[in-house]
Amino acid sequence: MRRVVTSLLPLLIAAPLVGQTTLGFRGGLSDATISSDLNDVADQEARRGVIAGLDIAFPVGSAVELRIGGAYVQKGTTTPVDLPSEGIRGSTSIEADWVQASALVRIGTPRASGASFGLLLGPWAASLLSCDASLDYDVGGLGPVSESLSCDDTTTSTDFGVAAGAGVEMAISGGLRLGVDLIYSLGLANVDDTSTDTINTRHLALQAGFVVPFGG
């Protein structure tokens, strides 16, 4: 992470000299899942969560800008459990909350027409805030069984990956714009310290917010 920040520092200093800088306030809803290199997780249910954050965008060309952002992101998954021979039905859930930093390149159409469509691509890195696991079973004649526990110790403290998406910005009044983005984040790190499988995060977010210009 330190290397990423160090390598981006010259861009952060020089970018305001080539155009107008913008500050974005964004929030939205997301679906999170996981993938595994060994186990079939096709039957999993996405964790419905929220994402909220802000970003600063520096123009680096006529149609290209660098968007540096930070956000609170909810990830995880729910896996159904169905063992009819043992009379067990239910699910296991993982709810992991992260603070995530990203450096996305946006390539878009000119904003002079009032609306700009763009593509987003770049790396991200995240730090774990908390992780909770829950078990909810119906065990035949024993009735419902529920249990919750922390999974902080079994989840890696950091995650990283790449993100890609698309968005549109529409002029509201003056320089103020409304931005709407759909971004898919692909985790590349193994986030489970105990599993023999490689567990990766997956995250799809639809977010909207205001983009405020400032600077030259």
Side-chain angles (χ1 to χ4, degrees):
M1 185 58 139
R2 183 176 300 175
R3 290 182 179 179
V4 174
V5 174
T6 303
S7 62
L8 291 175
L9 188 57
L11 288 175
L12 301 184
I13 296 173
L17 302 178
V18 299
Q20 189 176 58
T21 305
T22 60
L23 179 63
F25 301 89
R26 308 176 198 270
L29 302 176
S30 64
D31 279 354
T33 57
I34 61 171
S35 69
S36 168
D37 61 347
L38 294 180
N39 292 338
D40 181 11
V41 289
D43 294 333
Q44 69 180 305
E45 300 173 0
R47 179 194 179 187
R48 301 293 169 83
V50 299
I51 179 172
L54 56 86
D55 55 75
I56 300 177
F58 305 105
V60 293
S62 59
V64 182
E65 65 184 22
L66 177 64
R67 182 190 293 183
I68 307 297
Y72 166 75
V73 183
Q74 293 183 328
K75 300 183 182 182
T77 188
T78 296
T79 304
V81 176
D82 189 5
L83 302 173
S85 60
E86 301 178 23
I88 298 176
R89 300 175 64 92
S91 63
T92 62
S93 298
I94 300 292
E95 297 184 350
D97 296 344
W98 304 78
V99 57
Q100 183 165 304
S102 60
L104 305 181
V105 173
R106 183 183 189 274
I107 303 175
T109 60
R111 294 188 172 95
S113 61
S116 173
F117 298 89
L119 299 177
L120 296 157
L121 179 65
W124 57 266
S127 178
L128 183 68
L129 294 176
S130 65
C131 181
D132 296 303
S134 61
L135 312 173
D136 294 290
Y137 294 152
D138 186 351
V139 189
L142 298 179
V145 175
S146 297
E147 184 178 354
S148 297
L149 64 156
S150 172
C151 47
D152 291 350
D153 294 338
T154 60
T155 305
T156 58
S157 59
T158 59
D159 190 15
F160 62 87
V162 293
V168 59
E169 290 185 6
M170 298 164 286
I172 299 178
S173 64
L176 183 65
R177 296 191 295 271
L178 173 66
V180 180
D181 297 325
L182 181 65
I183 301 177
Y184 179 72
S185 298
L186 178 68
L188 300 178
N190 182 11
V191 296
D192 192 333
D193 283 335
T194 63
S195 176
T196 57
D197 301 2
T198 297
I199 307 297
N200 305 114
T201 59
R202 303 289 183 260
H203 187 254
L204 179 66
L206 176 63
Q207 58 184 25
F210 296 105
V211 180
V212 183
F214 66 94

